[in-house]
């Protein structure tokens, strides 16, 4: 069955610290992989996506993610977190039209 | 407008009443999706439209839920005889037709928050 797992429901980091949000997926074929961010009261915004090619992808706001096929993972990273990064982050997997989302990781940033 | 527009942004209703939620996608986007976002549950797929047809409505939780799309544009999600467990944020997203200038990105509206008392 197709699924996405985000094992961390909440993560708290200090401003300026590095960040890694975990995402594991189960998908029968080569997946398309996405990270979205949702700020309070807002819709979801695409941070980055992986379709093929280079397994390290760069996104907006200084985020990057690495696709590791052997581990079925697509973890999101940022070297130095800013207070404005506090939000909820969703990993998603898709193929053709259907997208499956994880349950999200809520990021809190301490000043 | 430039983005996906949803209305109402907030809806409070009594158990047993019917509600309609509206989504106005980005102009030219032929694909339209409804998702439900409940606390701690992530995004639950409800239905997918390509044009006016819904090739996948497998996520609709019961026959109290229905959706339609007219003119390849505006979509309405209707929940009949609402129950408390229907309380959630209902998100709409649109995208160009898959494979035609489609980067895979879904463009989301800000959602309609439904509270059933």
């Amino acid at each position: 069955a197709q699924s996405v797992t985000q094992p961390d429901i909440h993560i708290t980091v200090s401003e300026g610290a590095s960040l890694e949000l975990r995402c594991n997926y189960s998908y029968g074929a080569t997946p398309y992989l996405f990270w979205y961010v949702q700020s309070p009261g807002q819709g979801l915004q695409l941070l980055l996506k992986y379709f093929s090619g280079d397994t390290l992808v760069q996104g907006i706001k200084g985020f990057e993610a690495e696709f590791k096929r052997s581990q079925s993972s697509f973890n999101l990273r940022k070297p130095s977190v800013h207070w404005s990064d506090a939000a909820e982050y969703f990993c998603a997997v898709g193929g053709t039209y259907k997208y499956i989302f994880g349950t999200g990781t809520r990021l809190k940033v301490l000043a | 407008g430039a983005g996906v527009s949803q209305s109402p942004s907030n809806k409070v209703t009594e158990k047993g009443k019917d509600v309609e939620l509206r989504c106005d996608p980005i102009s030219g986007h032929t694909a339209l999706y409804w998702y439900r976002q409940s606390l701690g549950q992530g995004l639950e797929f409800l239905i997918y439209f390509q044009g006016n047809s819904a090739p996948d409505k497998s996520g609709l939780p019961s026959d109290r839920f229905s959706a339609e799309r007219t003119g390849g544009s505006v979509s309405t999600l209707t929940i009949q005889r609402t129950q408390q467990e229907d309380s959630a944020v209902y998100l709409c997203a649109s995208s160009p037709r898959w494979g035609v200038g489609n980067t895979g990105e879904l463009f989301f509206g800000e959602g309609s928050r439904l509270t059933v008392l």
Side-chain angles (χ1 to χ4, degrees), chain B:
Chain B
V4 177
S5 178
Q6 292 188 246
S7 61
S9 55
N10 277 286
K11 176 72 175 179
V12 180
T13 191
E14 294 179 346
K15 178 181 172 181
K17 301 284 190 182
D18 297 351
V19 298
E20 285 189 351
L21 307 176
R22 175 189 167 105
C23 173
D24 200 343
I26 292 173
S27 178
H29 282 189
T30 58
L32 186 146
Y33 302 76
W34 284 99
Y35 285 86
R36 181 167 68 176
Q37 185 177 20
S38 304
L39 195 62
Q41 298 297 313
L43 273 69
E44 176 188 5
F45 168 81
L46 297 179
I47 188 169
Y48 158 70
F49 286 92
Q50 183 59 249
N52 290 337
S53 65
D56 190 342
K57 53 181 77 172
S58 62
L60 295 177
S62 74
D63 58 8
R64 296 187 295 105
F65 287 73
S66 63
E68 65 175 11
R69 189 178 185 194
T70 55
S73 181
V74 172
S75 175
T76 302
L77 177 68
T78 301
I79 309 172
Q80 296 179 308
R81 306 180 302 281
T82 52
Q83 304 294 312
Q84 288 183 333
E85 60 262 28
D86 300 334
S87 296
V89 176
Y90 290 83
L91 290 168
C92 176
S94 70
S95 73
R97 183 185 181 93
W98 186 269
V100 179
N102 190 338
T103 64
E105 179 177 1
L106 295 183
F107 296 82
F108 283 85
E110 295 185 356
S112 292
R113 180 178 296 278
L114 174 65
T115 302
V116 182
L117 301 177

Side-chain angles (χ1 to χ4, degrees), chain A residues 24 37 42 51-52 61 76:
Chain A
N24 292 95
V37 61
Q42 303 293 312
F51 278 9
S52 64
K61 305 185 181 186
L76 182 71

